[in-house]
């Protein structure tokens, strides 16, 4: 790949690649990067289009807001051009609705692949689906003006784009319930204090902070980072003894690899 090769640019999503770092940009600032099924399909396509050389993916949104969430046009009778409205989908068979939601979720799942480290840079509003997209990433750098909110319950819905699992893991059950059930805003200070944000910077320093963090992540050998990420992700569902076993197995693989031993 050449420097800043544009791999994909469609439906409000642009993917560029610069050696080991890919950048996914939401490109509809006029609508505060509101999300739609077409955008979700483009995000899924971006994940599938990543070259094997990519180790770090930076997610960003153009304009003053990262993403204001789901485009409310989804709830109108006409929906989006060429798309069934959400209301029509709700009237269809339950199995088809479940399959459609699962397809939408794919846009939010690939960011945590073990072979990648993903960084969301978040400014302004990150509401609903926007909050969940930021939560889909491994790490979050936020601007001082960030406003996270999970507004699905105010619409009579639930967060269904994979955001509940990372939210509970980051802030705990009680705070996650309060954030989701009230739909209140979480600002930068609370985000950093509770673990939602790894770093808070002025908005004009977001891109530079992401470059610095990407550089630090790339400094370690790729296989060691991949194994470490897999260990930490697995720790969420293993008990202490199981994690000890997993650590020994992972270290054994690394030592054999360093020694040039193949099984």
């Amino acid at each position: 790949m050449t420097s800043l090769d544009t791999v994909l640019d469609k439906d409000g999503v642009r993917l560029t690649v610069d050696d080991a770092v890919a950048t996914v940009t939401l490109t509809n600032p006029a609508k505060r990067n509101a999300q739609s099924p077409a955008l979700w399909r483009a995000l899924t396509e971006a994940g599938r289009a990543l070259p094997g050389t990519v180790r770090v993916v930076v997610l960003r949104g153009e304009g003053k807001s990262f993403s204001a969430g789901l485009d409310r046009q989804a709830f109108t009778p006409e929906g989006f051009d060429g798309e069934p409205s959400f209301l029509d989908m709700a009237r269809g068979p339950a199995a088809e609705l479940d399959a459609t939601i699962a397809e939408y979720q794919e846009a939010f799942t690939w960011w945590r692949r073990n072979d990648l480290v993903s960084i969301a840079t978040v400014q302004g509003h990150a509401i609903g689906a926007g909050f969940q997209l930021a939560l889909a990433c491994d790490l979050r750098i936020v601007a001082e003006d960030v406003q996270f909110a999970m507004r699905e319950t105010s619409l009579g819905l639930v967060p269904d784009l994979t955001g509940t699992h990372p939210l509970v893991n980051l802030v705990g059950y009680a705070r996650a319930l309060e954030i989701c059930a009230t739909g209140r805003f979480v600002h930068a200070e609370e985000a950093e204090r509770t673990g939602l944000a790894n770093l808070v910077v002025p908005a004009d320093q977001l891109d530079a902070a992401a470059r610095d963090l990407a550089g630090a992540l790339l400094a370690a050998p790729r296989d060691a980072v991949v194994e470490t990420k897999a260990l930490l992700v697995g720790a969420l569902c293993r008990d202490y003894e199981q994690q000890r076993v997993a650590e020994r197995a992972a270290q054994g693989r690394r030592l054999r690899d360093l020694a040039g031993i193949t099984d």
Side-chain angles (χ1 to χ4, degrees):
M1 288 289 172
T2 59
S3 181
L4 290 180
D5 184 15
T6 300
V7 179
L8 178 145
D9 195 351
K10 62 187 291 188
D11 297 321
V13 174
R14 182 172 62 247
L15 167 64
T16 58
V17 175
D18 185 0
D19 297 324
V21 180
T23 301
V24 176
T25 303
L26 307 181
T27 60
N28 191 5
K31 296 194 75 170
R32 294 192 299 164
N33 297 313
Q35 299 181 30
S36 67
L39 181 141
W40 294 333
R41 285 192 290 270
L43 284 174
T44 299
E45 187 176 343
R48 293 171 179 168
L50 289 175
T53 55
V54 170
R55 295 180 54 188
V56 175
V57 183
V58 177
L59 171 64
R60 58 188 299 276
E62 291 183 346
K64 294 183 178 181
S65 291
F66 173 74
S67 175
L70 179 64
D71 191 323
R72 295 296 182 91
Q73 189 174 335
F75 295 103
T76 63
E78 61 272 14
F80 301 100
D81 290 342
E83 304 271 0
S85 74
F86 280 24
L87 299 177
D88 288 339
M89 288 192 300
R91 297 185 183 104
E96 290 184 12
L97 178 60
D98 182 78
T100 299
I101 296 172
E103 177 189 345
Y104 295 162
Q105 289 176 329
E106 290 181 17
F108 296 75
T109 57
W110 63 265
W111 305 89
R112 291 189 178 242
R113 282 168 31 188
N114 285 341
D115 61 321
L116 305 170
V117 178
S118 54
I119 306 167
T121 62
V122 188
Q123 78 283 5
H125 294 95
I127 310 298
F131 192 4
Q132 295 188 75
L133 186 56
L135 286 166
C137 292
D138 296 305
L139 309 171
R140 280 153 296 282
I141 302 173
V142 306
E144 293 169 337
D145 68 347
V146 75
Q147 297 183 66
F148 290 116
M150 203 73 84
R151 290 293 178 84
E152 284 80 357
T153 51
S154 65
L155 300 173
L157 302 171
V158 301
D160 67 333
L161 296 172
T162 78
T164 57
H165 189 272
L167 182 62
V168 170
N169 284 331
L170 287 166
V171 306
Y173 159 74
R175 190 180 298 270
L177 174 62
E178 181 243 335
I179 288 171
C180 292
T182 65
R184 69 171 177 85
F185 286 114
V186 177
H187 298 281
E189 184 278 331
E190 181 182 357
E192 186 173 37
R193 173 168 47 82
T194 59
L196 278 174
N198 296 84
L199 181 66
V200 177
V201 298
D204 61 359
Q205 295 180 24
L206 274 177
D207 290 340
R211 285 193 298 270
D212 289 345
L213 180 53
L217 292 166
L218 293 174
R222 179 173 195 162
D223 289 345
V225 175
V226 170
E227 288 275 14
T228 299
K229 179 175 177 180
L231 268 177
L232 295 174
V233 171
L236 297 173
C237 58
R238 298 187 193 107
D239 63 25
Y240 180 78
E241 198 58 37
Q242 290 170 332
Q243 188 68 4
R244 287 181 62 208
V245 172
E247 288 176 1
R248 296 198 301 270
Q251 192 71 302
R253 287 191 295 271
R254 296 303 312 128
L255 289 170
R256 287 193 297 273
D257 183 64
L258 292 172
I261 300 171
T262 57
D263 294 330

